[in-house]
Amino acid sequence: MKDKFIFWRTSSWGLSLLLVLPILAIFVTAMGESDDVFAHLLNTVMGTYTANTFWLVVGTLLLALLFGLPSAWIMAMCRIPGEKVLQWLLVLPLAMPGYIVGYIYTDWFDYAGPIQIFLRDSFGWQSVHDYWFPDIRSLGGACFVLALVLYPYIYLLARAAFMEQSVSLLQSARLLRCSPWESFRRISLPLARPSIAVGMSLVAMETLGDFGTVSYFAVNTLTTAVYDTWLGYSNLNAAAKISAIMLVVIFLLISAERFSRRKQKLFQQQFEHGDDVRYTLTGTKKWLAMMWCWGLVSLAFIFPILQLGYYAFHYFAESWTTEFQQYSINSLFVSIVAAVIAVCVALVVNFYCRLDGRSKTAIPLRLSSLGYAVPGTVLAIGVMIPLTSADHMVNDLARDWGLGRPGLIFSGTMVAIIFAFVVRFAAVAIGSVESSLAKIPPSLDMASKTMGFASTAMLRRVHLPLIRRGCLIAGLLVFIESMKELNAALLLRPFNFETLATYVFNFASDEQLELAALPAILLVVVGLVPLVMVNRSLEQKH
């Protein structure tokens, strides 16, 4: 029977090693002979870049906790007017790319923005020397903007954890006359700590990998160091060393999060149907809760999307160009291809794991998912190293055979972007397909074998019809994530090739936010799809 798995075993291991190759390439290149560029960076600016990165992550985490945790507890444990609408609206900022919100807030709060102009006109101030106003283009401003778009990670996970807590514990707290604050501090918060830790790790990794926001705000971090070293100094070796440092930090963050809850086990009864132990807020508490939630939604989503809509409406003729249409087609093409490939990879590694059933067969599945933890800028370095080597190999072979030089057929074409998207987002497809396959009873597999079905026929005639919806969701999620990806596309795009994300970034970087509004709205609308799906599944569970 094991001989029948040769195709699936070979394919699964081959695909997983291919997807983990960029990560291995970064470490192999980083361990190579050092050069003067990296030594110069290490002796001059690397300390500043590292400190900025550390404080950016810490500041964003603290603000994301401040935004997400109270909102999650209010939505899960309190009754306020409009809560059904707020439950959805509080998730929507996650669909806003951080660099777009950063451009809008800079446009508002800069010296030439409407807010400072209004203050100068109202109070008679003549110049910046007459008053003090916080600089939005600073480390603190970057933390604030990133926290606004990333707090939903903490909100979603913390809210789900609060909703799953035992009714008996909460009722016991009320019988002991615990106030809502004491109930939150002594019961709800400790029980939700694992979920909050996962949300914080996601926020930290997204912050660590951000390039668009910190670049526009002129905050030099390790991510911008990778970009500048590669394109500014044209030194791939030094960029790989910085990327390896970032990867080590990311893996340490993930390991620390898992180690912190290694012995923590929670056994609790969820809210039973019909049980409602939420607090009914009245008076000042009700208005404060509503002001907090609506204010957060307004700052993070409503005001920015209204501003984009205003620009898109008034500059529609200038925005609706042949370039915009062509770049939209480019994004659609590479995202669709990446989604199809990612779903195929997910099917192969998950089906092999199901066929064999031994613990070691899960190794390819886990290896294929490692790329999701790698920032796009770092991943671009890892993708470029093996693809460049493959280009040299193909050109050398073609020259030896007298066929001429075909050129950069891997690193200089859409192959690089598509490969990066598959490596980055294959984990999303793998998780969706894995959960769908887990719902199919093993008895169907045994019945198929009894009827003489080979493994390929079993997948085609039994499993695929049953997991079709999961595959469609997996492809949709990878497609949406690929449409929004900026970092990898910015570094790996071929000449005269743009995606919607890079198109928006280029316009906004040139202070032409009005012309970037229409494609930015399209990216936001596309990003809303997975949020609706996640929130709907959360509502169905509860």
Side-chain angles (χ1 to χ4, degrees):
M1 182 62 68
K2 291 183 180 179
D3 293 339
K4 297 182 179 180
F5 300 155
I6 291 178
F7 169 77
W8 295 104
R9 180 166 61 250
T10 305
S11 301
S12 182
W13 278 99
L15 289 172
S16 63
L17 292 177
L18 184 64
L19 293 184
V20 83
L21 182 61
I23 300 176
L24 298 177
I26 291 174
F27 285 105
V28 171
T29 306
M31 289 187 294
E33 185 177 352
S34 184
D35 50 34
D36 295 336
V37 172
F38 182 74
H40 172 71
L41 293 174
L42 196 61
N43 294 326
T44 54
V45 297
M46 192 60 69
T48 302
Y49 286 1
T50 304
N52 286 344
T53 303
F54 173 78
W55 290 116
L56 179 73
V57 172
V58 171
T60 304
L61 278 175
L62 292 177
L63 287 174
L65 274 174
L66 177 64
F67 296 156
L69 204 54
S71 306
W73 194 79
I74 290 171
M75 288 296 101
M77 305 301 297
C78 301
R79 286 192 292 266
I80 60 173
E83 61 186 59
K84 293 294 184 182
V85 177
L86 278 172
Q87 288 173 0
W88 288 80
L89 291 178
L90 284 166
V91 185
L92 299 187
L94 199 59
M96 296 287 292
Y99 56 92
I100 294 178
V101 177
Y103 301 148
I104 292 174
Y105 270 83
T106 300
D107 192 45
W108 288 344
F109 289 97
D110 221 351
Y111 180 77
I115 294 179
Q116 291 204 50
I117 290 177
F118 173 77
L119 291 175
R120 289 195 296 272
D121 292 342
S122 300
F123 296 98
W125 296 329
Q126 300 298 319
S127 68
V128 71
H129 302 290
D130 297 334
Y131 68 101
W132 177 85
F133 196 85
D135 185 11
I136 187 66
R137 291 197 185 189
S138 62
L139 180 62
C143 292
F144 176 75
V145 168
L146 288 173
L148 280 181
V149 298
L150 295 178
Y151 83 85
Y153 282 120
I154 295 176
Y155 165 77
L156 279 171
L157 293 169
R159 178 181 163 227
F162 291 147
M163 294 174 68
E164 291 171 352
Q165 290 176 0
S166 172
V167 175
S168 59
L169 287 176
L170 300 174
Q171 290 174 338
S172 299
R174 293 192 178 184
L175 290 175
L176 294 172
R177 298 184 181 277
C178 287
S179 65
W181 166 248
E182 290 176 330
S183 176
F184 167 77
R185 182 176 60 87
R186 300 175 65 178
I187 297 178
S188 298
L189 186 59
L191 291 176
R193 191 174 75 88
S195 298
I196 296 172
V198 173
M200 291 178 64
S201 66
L202 291 173
V203 172
M205 287 190 292
E206 291 289 339
T207 304
L208 194 61
D210 179 80
F211 173 75
T213 308
V214 296
S215 175
Y216 187 71
F217 278 46
V219 178
N220 292 318
T221 63
L222 291 177
T223 303
T224 59
V226 172
Y227 185 88
D228 294 338
T229 304
W230 186 2
L231 298 186
Y233 292 98
S234 299
N235 194 304
L236 194 59
N237 181 272
K241 292 181 184 297
I242 301 173
S243 301
I245 294 173
M246 293 184 64
L247 284 179
V248 170
V249 171
I250 290 171
F251 291 144
L252 286 177
L253 284 174
I254 297 173
S255 301
E257 184 271 323
R258 292 181 178 177
F259 182 80
S260 66
R261 54 188 179 91
R262 68 194 185 283
K263 295 181 179 179
Q264 190 173 35
K265 298 183 185 300
L266 298 176
F267 302 96
Q268 38 182 332
Q269 179 184 4
Q270 297 183 1
F271 282 177
E272 297 177 359
H273 184 71
D275 290 333
D276 192 352
V277 295
R278 294 180 299 167
Y279 299 95
T280 302
L281 300 183
T282 58
T284 305
K285 293 180 180 179
K286 179 185 72 174
W287 289 108
L288 287 176
M290 292 177 61
M291 288 173 59
W292 174 263
C293 294
W294 280 107
L296 185 59
V297 169
S298 300
L299 290 175
F301 185 79
I302 295 177
F303 292 160
I305 201 67
L306 288 177
Q307 181 70 79
L308 289 177
Y310 174 84
Y311 285 150
F313 178 77
H314 285 84
Y315 293 87
F316 182 81
E318 293 87 344
S319 301
W320 188 261
T321 60
T322 55
E323 288 83 4
F324 167 67
Q325 298 170 31
Q326 180 60 50
Y327 299 153
S328 300
I329 294 173
N330 291 345
S331 290
L332 287 172
F333 179 77
V334 296
S335 300
I336 290 173
V337 174
V340 172
I341 296 175
V343 172
C344 293
V345 170
L347 282 172
V348 171
V349 296
N350 276 294
F351 191 62
Y352 170 61
C353 187
R354 183 181 179 93
L355 281 176
D356 200 315
R358 293 177 295 175
S359 57
K360 69 177 183 179
T361 58
I363 296 177
L365 189 145
R366 302 308 169 206
L367 288 177
S368 303
S369 304
L370 288 178
Y372 194 64
V374 182
T377 307
V378 175
L379 182 63
I381 299 290
V383 166
M384 187 57 65
I385 294 170
L387 291 187
T388 303
S389 301
D391 279 331
H392 284 300
M393 185 183 303
V394 170
N395 279 269
D396 291 342
L397 288 174
R399 183 190 58 190
D400 294 341
W401 292 345
L403 301 177
R405 288 181 174 271
L408 303 177
I409 59 176
F410 296 119
S411 60
T413 63
M414 287 186 289
V415 173
I417 293 182
I418 293 172
F419 183 40
F421 287 172
V422 174
V423 174
R424 179 91 162 86
F425 304 119
V428 178
I430 289 172
S432 180
V433 174
E434 184 180 14
S435 62
S436 298
L437 276 176
K439 299 175 182 177
I440 300 177
S443 58
L444 288 180
D445 296 21
M446 292 184 281
S448 302
K449 293 176 182 178
T450 303
M451 296 175 65
F453 283 180
S455 55
T456 306
M458 185 194 310
L459 175 63
R460 178 173 54 87
R461 300 181 62 179
V462 178
H463 293 85
L464 276 181
L466 295 175
I467 64 172
R468 181 175 55 187
R469 183 173 180 273
C471 291
L472 289 174
I473 292 175
L476 179 63
L477 293 176
V478 175
F479 168 79
I480 292 166
E481 292 291 342
S482 300
M483 286 282 290
K484 294 166 52 183
E485 174 62 28
L486 170 68
N487 298 352
L490 200 61
L491 291 172
L492 296 174
R493 55 185 171 168
F495 293 112
N496 298 321
F497 184 92
E498 301 282 353
T499 65
L500 279 179
T502 61
Y503 186 58
V504 171
F505 178 81
N506 290 336
F507 268 126
S509 298
D510 294 336
E511 306 291 343
Q512 293 180 303
L513 184 61
E514 297 85 356
L515 300 180
L518 185 61
I521 288 177
L522 181 57
L523 288 177
V524 172
V525 171
V526 169
L528 291 177
V529 176
L531 297 181
V532 172
M533 294 167 58
V534 170
N535 212 43
R536 180 174 295 177
S537 65
L538 186 62
E539 291 298 324
Q540 289 175 351
K541 291 180 181 179
H542 302 284

